[in-house]
Amino acid sequence: MKEISVIGLGFIGLPLSLSFAMNEAKVYGVDVNKELVSEINQGHTHHKESFNNLTIQTILNDQIRNERFSALTSILDLPESVDTYIITVGIPVKDGQLVTGPIESVALDLSKRLKKGDTVILRSTVIPGFTNEFFKPLLELSGLKAGEDFHLAYASERIAEGKAFKEFVDMPLVIGGVTRKDAEKAREALTIVTKADTHIASAIEVVEMSKVIENAQRDVNIAMVQQYATMARHMGIDPKELIQVANTHTRVNLLTPGPGVGGYCLPNAFHYLVPKAKELGILNELSISQEARQYNDGIPDKIVKIVENKLQELGKDLAGSKIAVFGLAMKDFSNDDRISPPVYITEILTKKAGETRAYDPAVPTVYPFKDDSAYEAVKNADALLVLCEQEEMSSLDYKKIRELMKSDAFVLDTKHFFKKVCMDDINIYYF
Ligand SMILES: NC(=O)c1ccc[n+]([C@@H]2O[C@H](COP(=O)([O-])OP(=O)(O)OC[C@H]3O[C@@H](n4cnc5c(N)ncnc54)[C@H](O)[C@@H]3O)[C@@H](O)[C@H]2O)c1
């Protein structure tokens, strides 16, 4: 049985580990977060993935029970029999700066246990050039040479959270290797799970940069659509219908604007391009991506301004109002609140509004403004903001919610959620 280690057990690493385990591999997951490892080994996860009608919790418990999956806290504790490492530890961005410490420490730990013939596959999203310029030299502290003594490849991870299990199988795979043989070895391992087309690129850098621009172009597309949507609103036409009509063209794919662009991938993409562009002295050539990033970052403030204006029309000010928020995740039906515009909007509101309470049963993070009950959150509210949709929101009693809110309250709905549920006698504005 193939023995694999998946390093990093987050949104990507855990479902990826379980995908290999479901395909007859023995998988050792590694994560430095001791609490997370202990939770996972007890069969618990907050992730919202599912596959073939089984939740990730069920799949995790099945694979622990049949001894195909277990989690550890250190690479150094892995058994000798593991010969393939898949790395899913990311490079977070803090205030525009890339935090490479975690991924470098993975390389250093791996260098202490690499043996001849091993295969290392980096799947994290990285700065173009990172694998060859930074990751490889750290691995080679082992005394072994990539492309000669061990195999090193980069294969971008392209799945979307919420569809992870399905997309690990049917998302085309792109791979670059130090040598062609390295890429082939990575393909051999990864196609244990992936059944889609695979493409071996001429260089690792092609795959690294392709991954980043796949995300950056979505950031630009959304910024552009936000601007068209603003123009449509000023013209009195429905932006959503406008986009649907434009997308009937077979070569047009406008994305859906919402309360901002969030998550680990899209907002970080531009920042991954910056270091290499700076080094090459061509940062100004990325002005479109840069402007899109700034524009998308500004959407939460715009939404707060809309709330402020609507309150003013009612003779109220934000500082004296209570605002309720539904949805804190970075996208619908997700528990991921990393780089989440709904969280940013709520944080701005907590500073500017009299009171701000939020409801999101899927997000496990504890926030001072979060309520477990939607009814508690909306009590006496002057406005309700819908910032992302969660399953539980559809089964709430909206008659009761209306009664709990102030009589002149309004709803600002960035998700067109209130087209699905009914709440009488209240103004609903769609953003
Ligand atoms: N989340 C997505 O939808 C998505 C999609 C495509 C690509 N990616 C990329 O995949 C990578 C992982 O993303 P994610 O969302 O799973 O991140 P995550 O933060 O959920 O998971 C990363 C995990 O790595 C662990 N870690 C940190 N340092 C470690 C170390 N030295 N050794 C072992 N584990 C360590 C962290 O504790 C964390 O649990 C990133 O590069 C991201 O850009 C993510």
Side-chain angles (χ1 to χ4, degrees), residues 10-12 31-32 88 90 102 105 124-125 157 159 161 264-265 338:
F11 285 87
I12 296 297
D31 201 294
V32 286
T88 71
S105 101
S124 321
T125 306
E157 183 48 76
I159 63 100
E161 282 171 37
Y264 202 92
C265 295
R338 294 174 300 174

Side-chain angles (χ1 to χ4, degrees), residues 346-359:
T346 313
E347 282 171 349
I348 301 170
L349 285 168
T350 55
K351 290 191 191 108
K352 292 191 159 183
E355 191 186 355
T356 307
R357 303 303 304 169
Y359 167 71

Side-chain angles (χ1 to χ4, degrees), residues 166-186:
K166 182 176 175 296
E167 293 195 347
F168 288 139
V169 178
D170 60 21
M171 176 64 80
L173 197 58
V174 281
I175 309 170
V178 170
T179 63
R180 174 89 193 182
K181 174 105 190 285
D182 291 11
E184 302 275 9
K185 284 296 272 186

Side-chain angles (χ1 to χ4, degrees), residues 30-259:
V30 178
D31 201 294
V32 286
N33 182 338
K34 292 192 171 73
E35 216 174 291
L36 179 76
V37 166
S38 152
E39 250 179 47
I40 289 175
N41 280 332
Q42 287 170 49
H44 301 306
T45 169
H46 295 291
H47 292 294
K48 309 276 288 173
E49 305 289 348
S50 60
F51 191 53
N52 291 340
N53 293 324
L54 298 175
T55 63
I56 187 168
Q57 284 78 8
T58 308
I59 297 170
L60 172 62
N61 282 288
D62 287 351
Q63 298 311 322
I64 291 173
R65 208 174 313 113
N66 67 21
E67 298 185 350
R68 292 255 179 73
F69 173 76
S70 58
L72 315 169
T73 53
S74 171
I75 290 170
L76 305 177
D77 294 337
L78 285 167
E80 276 286 304
S81 45
V82 170
D83 63 3
T84 303
Y85 304 90
I86 302 175
I87 293 113
T88 71
V89 172
I91 301 179
V93 178
K94 292 235 161 72
D95 303 322
Q97 300 303 309
L98 287 101
V99 184
T100 51
I103 199 162
E104 285 171 8
S105 101
V106 169
L108 285 172
D109 278 354
L110 277 176
S111 75
K112 291 178 194 141
R113 55 158 298 125
L114 268 183
K115 32 183 212 313
K116 275 200 167 195
D118 282 354
T119 301
V120 179
I121 307 167
L122 187 53
R123 297 216 73 174
S124 321
T125 306
V126 297
I127 307 145
F130 182 83
T131 310
N132 270 319
E133 294 166 28
F134 296 96
F135 203 67
K136 182 164 76 99
L138 292 177
L139 292 176
E140 288 181 339
L141 293 176
S142 59
L144 301 175
K145 225 169 152 28
E148 288 176 24
D149 303 315
F150 69 96
H151 306 287
L152 174 61
Y154 179 82
S156 53
E157 183 48 76
R158 310 162 107 187
I159 63 100
E161 282 171 37
K163 298 179 184 161
F165 285 114
K166 182 176 175 296
E167 293 195 347
F168 288 139
V169 178
D170 60 21
M171 176 64 80
L173 197 58
V174 281
I175 309 170
V178 170
T179 63
R180 174 89 193 182
K181 174 105 190 285
D182 291 11
E184 302 275 9
K185 284 296 272 186
R187 170 152 70 186
E188 195 182 302
L190 296 174
T191 51
I192 292 176
V193 170
T194 301
K195 302 301 166 217
D197 289 348
T198 55
H199 175 84
I200 292 183
S202 61
I204 284 179
E205 288 75 10
V206 176
V207 186
E208 292 173 325
M209 182 155 170
S210 168
K211 168 64 196 173
V212 180
I213 65 168
E214 287 160 30
N215 286 341
Q217 64 87 24
R218 289 169 68 80
D219 206 23
V220 172
N221 186 318
I222 294 172
M224 183 179 69
V225 177
Q226 287 280 14
Q227 296 191 339
Y228 299 151
T230 304
M231 179 165 170
R233 273 198 302 277
H234 279 83
M235 285 180 69
I237 59 178
D238 178 358
K240 197 163 182 178
E241 185 190 357
L242 172 72
I243 294 162
Q244 275 164 359
V245 169
N247 280 345
T248 59
H249 189 304
T250 51
R251 287 184 297 279
V252 171
N253 180 25
L254 298 179
L255 301 176
T256 311

Side-chain angles (χ1 to χ4, degrees), residues 267-330:
N268 285 346
F270 170 69
H271 299 291
Y272 290 138
L273 292 173
V274 169
K276 190 45 112 183
K278 268 191 181 160
E279 184 191 312
L280 299 169
I282 49 146
L283 187 58
N284 57 338
E285 295 295 337
L286 299 181
S287 59
I288 294 173
S289 297
Q290 185 162 27
E291 201 175 330
R293 188 78 301 277
Q294 281 163 358
Y295 188 83
N296 285 331
D297 263 351
I299 299 295
D301 282 313
K302 285 199 172 127
I303 289 179
V304 173
K305 192 78 203 146
I306 293 172
V307 176
E308 218 166 354
N309 291 344
K310 297 269 175 231
L311 287 166
Q312 263 166 17
E313 284 167 22
L314 296 167
K316 302 181 185 186
D317 68 350
L318 187 54
S321 302
K322 174 174 174 179
I323 312 297
V325 168
F326 279 5
L328 290 169
M330 61 92 176

